Amino acid sequence: MHRICIVEDEQSLRDMIGLNLELEGYRVQAFSDGQTAQKLFEQTFHFDLIILDVMLPHVSGFDLCRTIRQHSHVPVLFLSAKGTTADRIAGLKLGANDYLVKPFDLEELLLKVQILLNGSVQQDQLDTLQINNKTVNFSTFEVRDAQNNILHTFTKREVQLLELFHEKEGKVVSRQEILDRLWGAEQIPTARTIDNYILAFRKLFEPDPKNPQHFHSIRGVGYKFTRE
Ligand code: CA
């Protein structure tokens, strides 16, 4: 399920967009001001698309886009009452992927969202992950060997953890980041839970699980995934 973030200070518009995206099957998180969104974007976040109003109190949509681009290539769609060419160019120069001028047609918004999500290279790459001739499918949760036999079927959380590792390949992922991503505000699991996931990954993907080449433990910090 694609996750979409909306930052829009006009409540009626925010609600209308959010509701319609949810009806389309997207998971939506909405913010009414730039400051709250900025705080989130400065930390880790996991959206597949971000819709930004340009004129926001305190922190503008352009400022938010700058912050996002420091961390992520996630598709950004601007909404703005300003329809001049100069404004559109300013937005696109900041790394936004598309621009919609208010008042816009709902159909057009939904279409742009669909195109940005499905046309995104990043998203295509995230659909499967290959480790040692084994392929993980993030939609079906299945792991298949080179002959396409199903070796294993993961749980949703195991797949979420693999997706996180895939996104952060080569970088250390902290335990806190894993907890935020997999459990959010839900009940925190025991310390062993994440370790057990890692052990399961090693058993499945590592030629020698005792000397891991892919799923590394970084003592006191978290984990690191590498494919080579
Ligand atoms: Ca506004």
Side-chain angles (χ1 to χ4, degrees):
M1 190 193 293
H2 285 121
R3 294 152 294 192
I4 300 178
C5 175
I6 308 167
V7 190
E8 166 61 71
D9 58 325
E10 255 173 83
Q11 193 191 346
S12 57
L13 187 59
R14 187 173 68 241
D15 291 349
M16 187 276 281
I17 296 170
L19 181 69
N20 281 283
L21 289 173
E22 280 172 357
L23 287 173
E24 292 292 313
Y26 301 114
R27 207 185 324 164
V28 177
Q29 194 171 356
F31 297 94
S32 58
D33 70 288
Q35 257 169 337
T36 314
Q38 176 99 333
K39 279 198 191 106
L40 181 74
F41 295 156
E42 279 168 354
Q43 303 158 11
T44 175
F45 66 89
H46 42 272
F47 298 110
D48 301 301
L49 172 70
I50 299 179
I51 300 175
L52 296 177
D53 181 26
V54 174
M55 300 286 277
L56 291 164
H58 311 300
V59 180
S60 77
F62 286 161
D63 293 333
L64 290 177
C65 189
R66 257 182 226 111
T67 303
I68 292 164
R69 281 292 170 261
Q70 284 168 10
H71 308 275
S72 168
H73 297 293
V74 63
V76 171
L77 171 65
F78 272 123
L79 303 179
S80 177
K82 290 183 176 179
T84 69
T85 309
D87 282 321
R88 288 183 196 223
I89 290 172
L92 296 172
K93 267 189 177 168
L94 285 173
N97 301 70
D98 210 342
Y99 204 101
L100 206 50
V101 177
K102 296 179 190 175
F104 52 83
D105 191 88
L106 178 63
E107 287 290 314
E108 192 183 358
L109 173 76
L110 296 177
L111 200 62
K112 279 188 187 289
V113 164
Q114 211 184 339
I115 290 167
L116 286 172
L117 286 172
N118 297 326
S120 154
V121 176
Q122 196 187 23
Q123 193 56 43
D124 291 340
Q125 287 171 347
L126 290 178
D127 280 341
T128 61
L129 170 64
Q130 279 206 327
I131 312 167
N132 270 343
N133 293 326
K134 289 168 187 164
T135 305
V136 185
N137 185 314
F138 292 139
S139 307
T140 63
F141 301 1
E142 290 162 357
V143 185
R144 291 173 186 261
D145 64 14
Q147 288 73 42
N148 212 28
N149 302 309
I150 298 177
L151 299 174
H152 187 75
T153 304
F154 282 123
T155 64
K156 190 177 158 201
R157 284 212 169 100
E158 286 170 325
V159 164
Q160 285 175 331
L161 182 54
L162 277 175
E163 280 186 284
L164 179 61
F165 281 141
H166 184 24
E167 285 170 37
K168 299 265 177 165
E169 194 175 330
K171 292 179 187 155
V172 177
V173 182
S174 69
R175 295 183 70 89
Q176 190 56 49
E177 208 171 338
I178 295 172
L179 292 173
D180 289 347
R181 172 72 163 259
L182 271 66
W183 282 273
E186 285 171 55
Q187 202 180 354
I188 305 289
T190 66
R192 292 294 304 164
T193 308
I194 298 173
D195 293 331
N196 285 333
Y197 286 5
I198 302 294
L199 288 177
F201 294 162
R202 284 180 183 154
K203 208 172 143 193
L204 198 59
F205 297 111
E206 301 277 4
D208 177 6
K210 288 204 170 71
N211 293 297
Q213 307 295 311
H214 304 291
F215 296 93
H216 313 270
S217 297
I218 311 294
R219 191 178 286 270
V221 186
Y223 302 92
K224 187 171 81 175
F225 167 68
T226 54
R227 254 185 293 185
E228 301 307 323

